[in-house]
Amino acid sequence: MHFTKERINALEKHTRTHLINSLSGYKSANLIGTQDKQGNTNLAIVSSVIHLGAHPPVVGMIMRPNSVPRHTFENIIETGSYTINQVNQAIYKQAHQTSARYPKGESEFNATGLTPEYLNDFTAPFVQESRLKYAVNYVEHQHLAVNGTELVIGEITDVYLDEVALQSDGFLDLQAIETVAVTGLDSYHTGNKLSRLPYAKKP
């Protein structure tokens, strides 16, 4: 089967969205916790979190265009703080529900039954039920003219995780904490590790 550019553009909008969103394969499912300066909390599922570097520890994520109110992006810019909370098997249905369009005054924490948690005086809320979560301070964002999205970059300051995931060399066994991946917009998966391979060197 071959999809030309013309064939892709001719697809019904939702069909095209599902197809293109699925091309990148398995993606991490994360809940982004924020609050505004008035203390109103927000929680949003994001599948575009990407590792940018370990020295310093920085992470990026793509936020959708601001054609409609984007409470997560607005709160990050306003306060400079947010949390990234990995989704696990126990909470993936609640995590998915955060993608619904709630008004700014209604917290997704309350709407989905997830629990906001404040750790070590960090101003943004964590998800108590998440087994791997970290605090992030906003560094910068880049507007991507190609489609109006925003690349948000932040520095990781604190990491909280279930100890069972941590191996002696710092590697995290995500299978041990039942981390969930997402494909497309609405398909959730668990992973099975094949193996860890040694550092690749030229023979």
Side-chain angles (χ1 to χ4, degrees), residues 156-201:
I156 299 167
T157 62
D158 297 272
V159 177
Y160 304 90
L161 69 154
D162 191 323
E163 192 173 331
V164 69
L166 184 63
Q167 299 194 357
S168 60
D169 62 353
F171 175 79
L172 293 179
D173 181 357
L174 301 183
Q175 188 174 339
I177 55 174
E178 301 181 323
T179 293
V180 167
V182 61
T183 56
L185 299 173
D186 53 15
S187 183
Y188 294 86
H189 311 261
T190 56
N192 292 309
K193 184 174 67 177
L194 297 177
S195 66
R196 289 188 71 189
L197 301 179
Y199 185 83
K201 297 181 180 179

Side-chain angles (χ1 to χ4, degrees), residues 29-174:
N30 295 280
L31 287 164
I32 310 303
T34 63
Q35 69 177 28
D36 62 21
K37 288 186 176 180
Q38 287 70 47
N40 299 304
T41 60
N42 180 264
L43 192 63
I45 190 167
V46 168
S47 62
S48 62
V49 172
I50 50 175
H51 164 79
L52 293 180
H55 310 284
V58 288
V59 65
M61 63 180 175
I62 299 294
M63 307 299 295
R64 297 170 70 183
N66 294 319
S67 54
V68 298
R70 301 292 181 194
H71 305 143
T72 296
F73 180 71
E74 294 167 3
N75 290 349
I76 290 172
I77 299 303
E78 180 179 319
T79 67
S81 301
Y82 55 106
T83 68
I84 300 180
N85 308 265
Q86 277 197 1
V87 176
N88 57 58
Q89 289 185 52
I91 62 172
Y92 80 93
K93 291 182 180 179
Q94 293 159 287
H96 180 75
Q97 183 60 32
T98 67
S99 63
R101 292 185 179 179
Y102 294 97
K104 186 173 177 59
E106 184 176 359
S107 172
E108 289 81 1
F109 281 101
N110 294 333
T112 62
L114 293 170
T115 310
E117 179 180 34
Y118 293 89
L119 300 172
N120 290 330
D121 298 322
F122 195 70
T123 56
F126 294 87
V127 177
Q128 187 178 77
E129 293 84 358
S130 176
R131 302 175 70 179
L132 172 58
K133 47 205 168 191
Y134 42 105
V136 186
N137 284 331
Y138 167 78
V139 175
E140 63 175 306
H141 76 277
Q142 301 290 334
H143 177 75
L144 304 185
V146 65
N147 61 357
T149 57
E150 305 286 345
L151 170 60
V152 178
I153 299 171
E155 183 172 4
I156 299 167
T157 62
D158 297 272
V159 177
Y160 304 90
L161 69 154
D162 191 323
E163 192 173 331
V164 69
L166 184 63
Q167 299 194 357
S168 60
D169 62 353
F171 175 79
L172 293 179
D173 181 357
L174 301 183

